[in-house]
């Protein structure tokens, strides 16, 4: 089986105006040009308002991988863009929402769904997450499905059952062929933005559990192709240790991706990590 490419996703959350977003991309492009990462797939998820400007800035630097494929300069992997959320319908009376075709239009290849901040602050349920996963796949967007337990659930030894329930709910009706396009991000809620990442043992255990579930669901061949990312307080200092875990295929990075030198260092460590 060919090794899964390291996948590093930067989630900007609700940060950066358009000029700030372009400035961040310019800085990042400069760093990538100076020391191009290898063996790594790079995705960034700016807010909706900045997606178009970010795609243009990446294009200017020959770094944009849009829906039609890459335009990367030699030596440097291209950068894809993701949305941080979306509605599941193509169009309709849903004030304030953004649909899958709108994201495709902007050149998005990925979309984050079920982030714990959406579950926590906006009441997003597993049933809604499922609709979003199916809509993304229907439109050729790769869903980055976020799952993870709270500290209380971990303390009550419920981590395995919480992950299993979230996976079952979100992936019902996703068949084996579609499964190969799903990305899963294990993000313990207590580790997000806390400065306290999961220990390697905790991450390994959770990732093994997730892998076992999806290989059982979609059979070995497809289940093995699904990248499982770790997310929660990833930094340049701890990414090496996390990627050294065989079961960890990449990372979903929040805070550290807003700082181009830190994000570039994370990409550099990911490049040198053993697949
Ligand atoms: C996230 O937002 O998905 C995340 C992992 O954030 P942070 O890296 O800041 O913990």
């Amino acid at each position: 089986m060919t090794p899964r490419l390291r996948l590093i996703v930067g989630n900007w959350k609700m940060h950066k105006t358009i000029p700030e977003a372009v400035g961040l991309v310019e800085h990042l492009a400069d760093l990538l040009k100076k020391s191009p990462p290898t063996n790594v797939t790079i995705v960034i998820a700016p807010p909706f308002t900045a997606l178009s400007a970010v795609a243009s800035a990446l294009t200017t630097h020959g770094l944009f991988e849009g829906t039609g494929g890459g335009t990367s300069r030699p030596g440097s992997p291209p950068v894809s863009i993701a949305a941080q959320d979306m509605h599941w319908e193509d169009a309709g009376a849903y004030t304030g929402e953004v649909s899958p075709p709108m994201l495709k239009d902007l050149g998005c290849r990925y979309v984050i769904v079920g982030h714990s901040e959406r579950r926590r602050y906006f009441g997003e349920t597993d049933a809604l997450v499922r609709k979003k996963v199916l809509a993304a796949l229907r439109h050729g967007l790769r869903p980055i499905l976020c799952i993870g337990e709270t500290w209380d659930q971990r303390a009550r030894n419920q981590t395995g059952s919480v992950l299993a329930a979230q996976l079952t709910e979100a992936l019902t009706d996703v068949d084996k062929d579609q499964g190969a396009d799903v990305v899963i991000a294990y993000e313990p809620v207590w580790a997000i933005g806390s400065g306290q990442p999961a220990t390697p043992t905790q991450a390994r255990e959770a990732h093994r559990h997730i892998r076992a579930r999806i290989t059982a669901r979609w059979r070995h061949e497809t289940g093995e192709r699904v990248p499982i990312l770790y997310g929660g307080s990833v930094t340049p200092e701890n990414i090496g240790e996390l990627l050294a875990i065989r079961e960890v295929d990449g990372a979903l990075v929040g805070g550290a991706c807003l700082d181009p030198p830190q994000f570039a260092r994370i990409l550099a460590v990911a490049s040198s990590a053993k697949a």
Side-chain angles (χ1 to χ4, degrees), residues 175-239:
D175 66 31
K176 182 157 73 65
D177 296 332
Q178 294 172 305
D181 286 327
V182 173
V183 176
I184 293 171
Y186 168 58
E187 297 212 300
V189 178
W190 48 272
I192 296 176
S194 66
Q196 188 198 345
T199 64
T201 307
Q202 289 168 330
R204 180 182 297 109
E205 209 173 81
H207 280 235
R208 273 194 189 154
H209 183 79
I210 294 166
R211 180 71 64 203
R213 287 263 152 192
I214 56 172
T215 46
R217 166 172 288 274
W218 291 321
R219 310 271 166 93
H220 190 77
E221 205 184 294
T222 301
E224 278 297 318
R225 281 172 61 189
V226 173
I228 305 178
L229 316 182
Y230 167 79
S233 296
V234 170
T235 63
E237 288 72 36
N238 62 29
I239 183 79

Side-chain angles (χ1 to χ4, degrees), residues 11 13 115 117 146 187 191-195 231-234 252-256:
N11 174 16
K13 310 197 188 193
H115 192 283
E117 287 155 11
C146 300
E187 297 212 300
I192 296 176
S194 66
S233 296
V234 170
L252 179 49
V253 184

Side-chain angles (χ1 to χ4, degrees), residues 12-62:
W12 295 14
K13 310 197 188 193
M14 194 174 73
H15 292 287
K16 305 296 174 191
T17 61
I18 291 174
E20 288 167 350
V22 171
L24 194 163
V25 170
E26 301 279 338
H27 192 171
L28 184 64
D30 220 35
L31 296 168
L32 296 185
K33 198 165 64 178
K34 279 188 196 128
S35 70
T38 51
N39 301 321
V40 63
T41 301
I42 310 168
V43 181
I44 54 177
F48 289 129
T49 46
L51 281 166
S52 174
V54 164
S56 299
L58 289 169
T59 303
T60 303
H61 287 274

